[in-house]
């Protein structure tokens, strides 16, 4: 029987916008070190009830409020506007840390940080001042980007039409991670010439409806539902020329930033699964009969497999760190060469984090044994989350991009999925 509670996952009901101001004040983070420490503390809190929360049928609004109040959502706001302006290597560490505890919560913030990057790269000083101030005060950005039914991902049917001091937007968006509980909803829409703009609407704008209809088997608590746009009015002061980041002669690393955060989420999910594997093998798993060992953690084959997985996890972290530094370099000196280098480094990291996330979440059961499949542990959430999230963009194309870059000197394509 359908639920009458809009916050029940998959209810299909419209969700009211969040109440503002929220009861918890937002922390102003001032440094990279502080950001990492707060992320570690929050991840520890998340892990205490992650399995029960993921099993729950309700959207994790309380945890989300605590997450955004931590100040982590504002750490990439430039120092000139009052933010910490942390490096992207630091952001990667923060994202991995949160995702190791809860992959869904980590993903909810992904599009927020991507929106901050667009504001920084394409916004006017006046737009940056207004929007960054709202973000530092604790306002959350959601996402209204993707569509269904179009021949290509980049073919958008959501249109904006100028009307005096504002634009009117009509369309329908899917996979709108974060929009359900957002304060601001960045909408990608095209003008009459097919040029893409980012219009940042208030969540409570008339005609903007968010449906809680996400029904995937993984990342269930991301609330990645549908956004309906019926003559949504957005002031021109909130409309940003997102297309400017993708000019071949003067690109910005916006796409690399979006992909980088996706890769860090996958790396974090892998880390969380490996931590569960170690704990279970050491405390619950029985040694295999032919091992002639008293404890499962003494099994030489188990040690061999886990050694390989942890070595790959270290490689993922290193690749993400390199990719974060390449993004920082491209932001400091944006050229076709620095942006392409950042994209390729992110693609390399994405390959490794995707493959490790799927392998590590599968090996958890192989190494921990039959007891680990008991539903009370809810370990399958790691595999379900990894398998669902890694579908965001196929790594078979990442291999091709990397190979073409080194073999033929061909820069990756300039779009949000590369």
């Amino acid at each position: 029987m359908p639920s009458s509670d809009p916050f029940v996952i998959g209810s299909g009901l419209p969700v009211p916008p969040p109440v503002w101001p929220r009861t918890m004040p937002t922390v102003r983070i001032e440094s990279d070190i502080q950001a990492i420490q707060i992320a570690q503390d929050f991840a520890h809190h998340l892990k205490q009830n992650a399995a029960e929360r993921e099993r729950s049928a309700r959207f994790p609004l309380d945890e989300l409020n605590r997450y955004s109040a931590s100040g982590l959502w504002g750490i990439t706001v430039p120092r000139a506007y009052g933010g910490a302006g942390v490096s992207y290597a630091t952001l990667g560490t923060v994202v991995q840390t949160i995702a190791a505890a809860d992959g869904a919560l980590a993903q909810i913030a992904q599009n927020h940080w991507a929106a901050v990057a667009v504001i920084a790269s394409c916004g006017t000083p006046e737009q940056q001042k207004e929007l960054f101030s709202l973000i530092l005060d604790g306002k959350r950005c959601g996402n209204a980007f993707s569509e269904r039914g179009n021949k290509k991902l980049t073919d958008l049917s959501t249109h904006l039409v100028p009307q005096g001091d504002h634009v009117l937007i009509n369309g329908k968006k899917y996979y709108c991670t974060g929009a359900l509980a957002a304060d601001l909803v960045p909408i990608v829409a095209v003008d009459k010439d097919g040029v893409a703009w980012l219009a940042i609407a208030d969540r409570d704008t008339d005609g903007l409806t968010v449906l809680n209809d996400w029904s995937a088997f993984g990342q269930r608590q991301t609330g990645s539902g549908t956004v309906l746009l019926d003559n949504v009015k957005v002031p021109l002061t909130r409309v940003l020329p997102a297309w400017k980041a993708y000019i071949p002669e003067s690109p910005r690393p916006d796409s690399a930033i979006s992909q980088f955060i996706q890769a860090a989420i996958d790396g974090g999910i892998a880390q969380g699964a490996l931590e569960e594997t170690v704990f279970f093998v050491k405390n619950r798993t029985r040694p295999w009969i032919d091992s002639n060992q008293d404890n499962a953690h003494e099994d030489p084959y188990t040690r061999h497999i886990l050694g390989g997985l942890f070595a790959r996890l270290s490689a993922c972290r290193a690749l993400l760190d390199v990719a974060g530094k390449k993004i920082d370099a491209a932001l400091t000196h944006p050229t076709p060469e620095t942006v392409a280098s950042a994209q390729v480094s992110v693609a390399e990291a994405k390959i490794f984090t995707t493959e490790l996330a799927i392998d590590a979440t599968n090996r958890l059961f192989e190494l921990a044994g039959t007891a680990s499949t008991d539903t009370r542990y809810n370990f399958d959430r790691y595999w379900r989350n990894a398998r669902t999230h890694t579908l965001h963009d196929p790594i078979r194309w990442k291999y091709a991009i990397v190979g073409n870059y080194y073999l033929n000197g061909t820069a990756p394509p300039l779009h949000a999925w590369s």
Side-chain angles (χ1 to χ4, degrees), residues 16 43 80 91 160 211 250 255 267 302 329 340 343 403 409:
L91 179 63
L160 58 79
L211 303 179
S250 57
S255 64
T302 297
Q343 288 179 289

Side-chain angles (χ1 to χ4, degrees), residues 83-347:
V86 305
S87 70
Y88 272 91
T90 292
L91 179 63
T93 299
V94 166
V95 174
Q96 291 171 81
T97 301
I98 302 300
D102 190 320
L105 262 293
Q107 188 186 347
I108 291 177
Q110 187 268 331
N111 289 299
H112 171 92
W113 284 311
V116 171
V118 176
I119 295 167
S121 67
C122 301
T124 65
E126 294 76 20
Q127 289 173 321
Q128 291 170 346
K129 182 179 180 180
E130 183 213 358
L131 293 167
F132 287 151
S133 176
L134 293 175
I135 288 166
L136 290 172
D137 284 342
K139 295 276 190 178
R140 297 190 290 254
C141 292
N143 150 40
F145 300 166
S146 297
E147 298 179 7
R148 289 178 181 167
N150 302 330
K151 187 174 182 180
K152 297 179 181 178
L153 287 172
T154 52
D155 292 340
L156 300 179
S157 56
T158 298
H159 285 82
L160 58 79
V161 178
Q163 296 279 334
D165 63 353
H166 64 273
V167 296
L168 286 179
I169 304 177
N170 286 277
K172 188 174 185 179
K173 299 288 188 175
Y174 298 90
Y175 311 120
C176 299
T177 303
L180 190 151
D183 304 291
L184 304 168
V185 181
I187 305 163
V188 176
V190 295
D191 60 21
K192 61 182 178 61
D193 298 317
V195 176
W197 298 77
L198 187 71
I200 302 179
D202 289 321
R203 173 69 169 77
D204 59 0
T205 301
D206 289 343
L208 195 160
T209 304
V210 181
L211 303 179
N212 189 354
D213 59 353
W214 178 240
S215 59
F217 63 65
Q219 296 294 82
R220 295 175 60 246
Q221 296 203 319
T222 60
S224 300
T226 300
V227 171
L228 307 177
L229 306 162
D230 182 14
N231 283 328
V232 171
K233 183 185 293 187
V234 180
L236 289 175
T237 55
R238 291 276 193 87
V239 180
L240 286 73
W243 53 270
K244 286 188 175 181
Y246 302 100
I247 299 174
E249 296 76 23
S250 57
R252 302 283 294 181
D254 291 19
S255 64
I257 290 170
S258 178
Q259 292 290 301
F260 174 75
I261 301 169
Q262 304 281 11
I265 292 169
D266 297 331
I269 293 173
Q271 176 185 325
L274 287 175
E275 290 171 352
E276 298 278 21
T277 305
V278 168
F279 183 84
F280 205 87
V281 168
K282 292 180 70 172
N283 295 280
R284 182 69 176 81
T285 305
R286 294 182 296 183
W288 183 243
I289 188 172
D290 295 324
S291 70
N292 295 319
Q293 302 294 332
D294 294 328
N295 301 290
H297 61 80
E298 297 170 325
D299 183 323
Y301 296 111
T302 297
R303 288 184 294 176
H304 175 84
I305 292 171
L306 275 173
L309 291 170
F310 274 99
R312 290 163 62 191
L313 179 62
S314 294
C316 287
R317 289 170 173 161
L319 286 167
L320 285 165
D321 190 57
V322 170
K325 292 176 181 176
K326 290 287 186 72
I327 290 171
D328 289 331
L331 287 169
T332 303
H333 299 291
T335 68
E337 291 75 24
T338 59
V339 169
S341 180
Q343 288 179 289
V344 169
S345 289
V346 170

Side-chain angles (χ1 to χ4, degrees), residues 315-394:
C316 287
R317 289 170 173 161
L319 286 167
L320 285 165
D321 190 57
V322 170
K325 292 176 181 176
K326 290 287 186 72
I327 290 171
D328 289 331
L331 287 169
T332 303
H333 299 291
T335 68
E337 291 75 24
T338 59
V339 169
S341 180
Q343 288 179 289
V344 169
S345 289
V346 170
E348 292 169 344
K350 187 72 167 62
I351 288 169
F352 272 70
T353 57
T354 292
E355 293 181 344
L356 180 62
I358 295 170
D359 195 10
T361 56
N362 181 52
R363 292 280 195 170
L364 189 164
F365 301 102
E366 177 187 340
L367 300 179
T370 306
S372 66
T373 65
D374 194 308
T375 55
R376 61 179 157 160
Y377 303 117
N378 198 19
F379 286 156
D380 60 301
R381 73 185 187 276
Y382 289 102
W383 183 88
R384 289 185 288 102
N385 288 345
R387 183 62 283 179
T388 300
H389 186 260
T390 54
L391 295 175
H392 186 273
D393 43 90

Side-chain angles (χ1 to χ4, degrees), residues 30-116:
E30 298 180 353
S31 69
D32 293 57
I33 293 174
Q34 185 186 9
I36 292 172
Q37 183 60 61
I38 288 176
Q40 290 171 342
D41 293 343
F42 181 61
H44 177 75
H45 163 76
L46 283 179
K47 197 156 188 177
Q48 304 312 304
N49 63 346
E52 293 77 12
R53 187 172 57 254
E54 201 274 347
R55 192 183 289 114
S56 169
R58 286 184 58 80
F59 182 78
L61 188 58
D62 290 343
E63 298 296 343
L64 181 62
N65 286 339
R66 182 164 179 162
Y67 186 13
S68 57
S70 72
L72 292 171
W73 292 47
I75 58 176
T76 57
V77 171
R79 288 185 177 274
Y81 292 92
V86 305
S87 70
Y88 272 91
T90 292
L91 179 63
T93 299
V94 166
V95 174
Q96 291 171 81
T97 301
I98 302 300
D102 190 320
L105 262 293
Q107 188 186 347
I108 291 177
Q110 187 268 331
N111 289 299
H112 171 92
W113 284 311
V116 171

